[in-house]
Amino acid sequence: MAELAAAIEKVKTAIQQAAERSGRPATSIHLVAASKRVPLEVLRKAAVAGISIFGENRVQEGIAKFEATGFKKDIAALHLIGPLQTNKVNKAVGLFDLIHSVDSHRLAERIEKEAARRGIVQAVLIEVNIANERNKHGASVGETPGLVEAIRSLPHLSLLGLMAIPPQSADPEGARPYFAALRELGHRMGIDRFSMGMSGDFEVAIEEGATWVRVGTALFGRRAA
Ligand SMILES: *Cc1c(COP(=O)(O)O)cnc(C)c1O
């Protein structure tokens, strides 16, 4: 517990310092604790120690840890940060306060249909394959403007921003050009909120405009694969 609390403090301090360096209010940056494969009892302790937003990768794990247990009522928000399959949309809509991984018209339309059925507006981000890597989730840079326009026309979706996972790099500076590219892509479409940065590079992401950072290992330690 003491170790977890110290890790949370350390990440929060690093976020604050990165915000200061880039002349932005620290309150504009939200820490999303990436909680895949972290057991519920640890997450409860994290919530007590100051984590208010959790991000899960899988719908089923979100249901098991946050909905079935009632834990979701104790936190500010639950996000889906992993890919969403269309056959899981009916369970994801409403459970997740923000879905970071919308990357196709088909998926957006399925979410629209389910949100309409429930009479809610689902907040989403578009995941962009910012380096146009093969075999990677995300809309290509080229198709993103069309997808932005399409989602903006859907009444039960609220497009809050863009998300990206840049190519793996040994050095956090390696990700900087991709974070900058996501920000520039967003700005061209009037978007100024970005989900980018993980344990190894969240400070660089903040310097480049991140408003959500998704941090797992730096909070919870290494997970089994
Ligand atoms: C696991 C995960 C993270 C957090 O990664 P760490 O390197 O553990 O901080 C962020 N985003 C997504 C989509 C993830 O799956």
Side-chain angles (χ1 to χ4, degrees):
M1 176 72 201
E3 209 179 315
L4 176 62
I8 293 169
E9 268 322 296
K10 194 173 164 196
V11 168
K12 286 190 169 182
T13 301
I15 290 173
Q16 214 154 12
Q17 289 171 346
E20 274 167 27
R21 278 199 300 281
S22 50
R24 301 167 56 206
T27 50
S28 68
I29 296 143
H30 303 284
L31 171 59
V32 180
S35 50
K36 57 176 177 273
R37 300 194 299 272
V38 179
L40 176 64
E41 61 267 23
V42 177
L43 304 187
R44 286 194 189 278
K45 287 174 185 161
V48 171
I51 294 292
S52 55
I53 308 174
F54 291 87
E56 280 291 340
N57 282 65
R58 291 166 175 272
V59 174
Q60 213 50 49
E61 198 172 335
I63 293 171
K65 277 156 45 179
F66 291 85
E67 190 175 52
T69 60
F71 180 47
K72 198 188 161 201
K73 291 192 296 291
D74 300 336
I75 64 171
L78 177 63
H79 293 186
L80 182 67
I81 61 177
L84 177 57
Q85 290 164 330
T86 48
N87 64 356
K88 299 276 170 59
V89 164
N90 58 347
K91 288 177 174 159
V93 169
L95 170 63
F96 294 99
D97 300 290
L98 179 62
I99 297 173
H100 289 228
S101 50
V102 178
D103 63 358
S104 72
H105 291 267
R106 181 159 173 266
L107 181 56
E109 278 153 19
R110 291 293 294 270
I111 296 171
E112 165 65 23
K113 206 167 151 191
E114 180 62 20
R117 196 183 67 77
R118 291 175 182 242
I120 63 170
V121 173
Q122 175 68 55
V124 301
L125 307 179
I126 292 175
E127 180 173 354
V128 182
N129 182 356
I130 192 67
N132 287 326
E133 290 174 276
R134 235 177 300 172
N135 305 324
K136 190 123 171 199
H137 290 282
S140 73
V141 171
E143 65 199 11
T144 297
L147 188 54
V148 166
E149 221 176 295
I151 291 180
R152 281 177 171 160
S153 76
L154 296 174
H156 299 89
L157 261 64
S158 173
L159 179 64
L160 301 189
L162 304 180
M163 179 270 222
I165 306 172
Q168 290 244 345
S169 153
D171 166 8
E173 287 299 326
R176 188 185 294 277
Y178 298 107
F179 294 145
L182 189 72
R183 181 192 66 229
E184 283 159 18
L185 177 65
H187 282 180
R188 286 200 287 279
M189 298 177 293
I191 290 171
D192 61 2
R193 285 186 277 178
F194 305 97
S195 167
M196 54 189 194
M198 319 202 316
S199 291
D201 55 19
F202 68 88
E203 292 161 278
V204 172
I206 291 167
E207 289 168 9
E208 295 300 334
T211 52
W212 295 274
V213 290
R214 310 177 310 271
V215 179
T217 309
L219 298 172
F220 302 115
R222 291 216 168 276
R223 291 166 291 255

